[in-house]
């Protein structure tokens, strides 16, 4: 099943590409790889939440926000090469703005990882880093970037 068909089956419509907040592009292709810029949990031009995971933002909410970041990454990929050209999700890097003492970054970034599994099946299995940071742009709780292989 194609990625676009799987998204439709899941009832997911890809959002519009989030416009860059600075001097970069949403995604770039080199050879058979597409790298996305870090994607924030933006929806309809607005950041959905601000704050630190483990304080103002619960880990469960952080996980849901990571899923939104992943959808925004798919939108960036789709605008560049089409989501159906993805043959494998290679690497996911997730940043979690973390309250002091919060160490549940992997569970938060599972929101992105699980989405890629739902959409791409075994081809969505990827290498990953989940990193806690003190601050993210716009006081976002999470940011996700993705590397995919394309046909």
């Amino acid at each position: 099943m194609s990625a676009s068909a799987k998204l439709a089956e899941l009832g997911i419509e890809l959002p519009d590409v989030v416009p860059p907040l600075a001097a970069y592009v949403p995604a770039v292709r080199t050879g058979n790889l597409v790298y996305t810029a870090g994607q924030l949990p933006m929806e309809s031009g607005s950041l959905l939440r601000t704050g630190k995971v483990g304080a103002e933002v619960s880990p469960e909410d952080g996980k849901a926000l990571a899923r939104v970041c992943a959808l925004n990454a798919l939108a960036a990929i789709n605008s560049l090469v089409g989501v159906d050209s993805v043959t494998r999700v290679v690497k996911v890097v997730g940043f979690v703005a973390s309250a002091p003492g919060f160490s549940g970054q992997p569970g938060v970034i599972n929101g992105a990882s699980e989405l890629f599994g739902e959409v791409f099946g075994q081809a969505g299995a990827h290498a990953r880093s989940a990193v806690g940071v003190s601050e993210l742009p716009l006081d976002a709780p999470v940011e996700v970037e993705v590397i995919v292989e394309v046909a």
Side-chain angles (χ1 to χ4, degrees):
M1 179 179 293
S2 70
S4 57
K6 188 63 179 176
L7 286 164
E9 179 183 280
L10 294 168
I12 298 172
E13 190 172 320
L14 288 179
D16 291 333
V17 177
V18 176
L21 301 173
Y24 61 88
V25 295
V28 64
R29 179 178 183 167
T30 182
N32 65 340
L33 297 176
V34 173
Y35 293 73
T36 71
Q39 299 293 315
L40 300 178
M42 305 280 283
E43 199 169 84
S44 302
S46 298
L47 190 63
L48 293 175
R49 290 286 301 274
T50 60
K52 305 283 186 284
V53 179
E56 305 90 350
V57 180
S58 72
E60 297 77 21
D61 287 348
K63 182 178 179 180
L65 293 168
R67 184 179 176 92
V68 173
C69 294
L71 285 170
N72 287 334
L74 287 178
I77 293 163
N78 191 55
S79 73
L80 184 67
V81 297
V83 74
D84 289 332
S85 70
V86 174
T87 57
R88 166 157 211 99
V89 179
V90 176
K91 175 94 187 246
V92 172
V93 180
F95 302 95
V96 181
S98 301
F102 179 73
S103 61
Q105 294 83 7
V108 172
I109 301 306
N110 277 347
S113 295
E114 291 169 4
L115 174 74
F116 295 132
E118 291 171 28
V119 174
F120 298 106
Q122 188 55 38
H126 53 269
R128 187 179 89 178
S129 298
V131 181
V133 298
S134 61
E135 298 288 336
L136 286 169
L138 306 179
D139 195 27
V142 293
E143 181 174 348
V144 173
E145 61 183 54
V146 182
I147 303 167
V148 296
E149 183 180 41
V150 295

